Amino acid sequence: NSLWNAILQAYASNRHKAEAEKIYYEMPLWNVFSWNYMVMLYCNSSEFDKAQGFVSTMPVKDIVTWTALLAGHARAGHVKLAKTIFDTMPEHNVVSWNAMINVYGTNGDLKNAESLFNSVMREKDIVSHTSMIQAFAQNNDLHGAVRTFERMPYRDIVSWTTMITTYAQYGDVDSAKDMFNSMPQRNLVTWTAMIQAYCSNGFLEEAKITMDKLPLWSITLGNVLLQGYAENGYVELAKQVFDRMEEKDIVTWTSMVSAHAQNLDLVEAEKIFYEMPEWSQIAWNALLAAYARTGKLERVRRTFEMVPEKE
RNA sequence: CCUACUAUGAAUAAGCGU
């Protein structure tokens, strides 16, 4: 049974809906784990009606079911629904509280995040503290973020990396670098965060030097460098990075379209756009914005017609 | 006491708003 569930999980978390449903109906026995995987599947593919309907047919629901629904709605930006689920679920634990801190934090409600954290939660873990750091960081309270980091009982690589990003967002690259240097271990995400910290603050040389020290490579890293060059006005260098990347993802392509578009180089932007293996909503938007800014209203209209899924 | 198949936190893309 756990073997079936493991397969179901693999399909569900990779959003292979058809395969997941097939496994679900083929497996000999369901339990709350299997049901929860299905809830996650529907949430991850933004089919909330289906998720909701599925939940209402489940003979057993547990706190994981509710938290998965809560987090799913939160990810999709359904803040009120997320809060309603939180308020009506039969019990809370550290995971559901953490999820709710995130909802509050990413939606500008620092007050409620803090009161959950300070007054309601009787148990807190590393995730609680890290989520609270983020809540402060996203709501214009660098000191709150630093204070939380300094006071937390244990830190892990995620909390350290969060601080790198936080300092970088506030333009304090030196402190970001201090974090990077003082943390006990680093992984690829850490390095990428540090390089992004340099790039977004205009320290391209430092970014390049740091990257050369790193024996690893990833598409995200290439994307960071590409965007770093582009947003600092070096579209040519961005294009060089782009051309050298053997593997590209949708972000790579979109970043390159957007780099040209923001440079108002419509010819190059379109060229990359038509070479893209699939079109992202964001790439469409980048093109539209460039047409609009150059006064090509007719092209805006025609392109707008072509956008498959309009937001 | 041991055991575990689920939910929450970190890095990269457009516009809008602040």
Side-chain angles (χ1 to χ4, degrees), chain A residues 204 228-236 263:
Chain A
L204 296 176
Y229 283 134
E231 76 195 27
N232 288 287
Y234 303 102
V235 181
E236 308 270 306
N263 202 25

Side-chain angles (χ1 to χ4, degrees), chain A residues 98-286:
Chain A
N98 291 346
M100 204 54 210
I101 287 191
N102 263 303
V103 173
Y104 286 134
T106 51
N107 291 284
D109 197 348
L110 183 59
K111 283 272 160 296
N112 272 317
E114 278 191 273
S115 70
L116 245 193
F117 187 80
N118 291 325
S119 317
V120 179
M121 295 177 67
R122 54 178 180 273
E123 185 199 344
K124 293 169 200 163
D125 60 10
I126 282 197
V127 177
S128 323
H129 287 85
T130 310
S131 300
M132 202 56 225
I133 291 173
Q134 282 232 98
F136 281 119
Q138 288 162 343
N139 290 282
N140 230 328
D141 191 345
L142 177 60
H143 289 109
V146 174
R147 202 190 328 121
T148 309
F149 180 75
E150 283 172 350
R151 289 183 186 169
M152 64 195 287
Y154 304 100
R155 299 169 191 89
D156 64 7
I157 198 159
V158 176
S159 39
W160 283 96
T161 307
T162 302
M163 286 310 293
I164 293 178
T165 306
T166 297
Y167 278 123
Q169 281 164 353
Y170 284 82
D172 188 351
V173 180
D174 290 338
S175 299
K177 194 170 185 217
D178 285 344
M179 290 289 127
F180 183 81
N181 288 331
S182 12
M183 58 197 290
Q185 300 113 18
R186 297 157 199 90
N187 62 15
L188 184 56
V189 174
T190 315
W191 282 86
T192 310
M194 192 62 233
I195 289 163
Q196 165 66 10
Y198 285 131
C199 284
S200 61
N201 287 284
F203 297 101
L204 296 176
E205 278 302 311
E206 295 291 338
K208 193 78 180 63
I209 291 168
T210 310
M211 196 169 288
D212 291 340
K213 285 188 206 149
L214 176 66
L216 304 169
W217 178 254
S218 72
I219 298 182
T220 300
L221 210 44
N223 294 345
V224 166
L225 191 63
L226 190 165
Q227 290 154 28
Y229 283 134
E231 76 195 27
N232 288 287
Y234 303 102
V235 181
E236 308 270 306
L237 290 175
K239 183 65 165 48
Q240 275 182 27
V241 174
F242 179 84
D243 288 336
R244 281 189 204 153
M245 287 175 68
E246 287 175 11
E247 284 187 312
K248 301 174 172 70
D249 64 9
I250 187 99
V251 176
T252 318
W253 288 96
T254 307
S255 304
M256 202 60 237
V257 170
S258 151
H260 287 309
Q262 289 183 344
N263 202 25
L264 300 181
D265 188 344
L266 300 180
V267 176
E268 283 301 309
E270 283 172 355
K271 201 175 144 227
I272 305 289
F273 185 81
Y274 285 110
E275 285 173 11
M276 287 178 75
E278 57 173 331
W279 291 327
S280 62
Q281 177 73 250
I282 295 178
W284 283 105
N285 291 351

Side-chain angles (χ1 to χ4, degrees), chain A residues 4 35 181 198 269 287 296 310:
Chain A
W4 285 94
W35 294 318
N181 288 331
Y198 285 131
L287 265 192
K296 299 189 162 44
K310 299 178 178 61

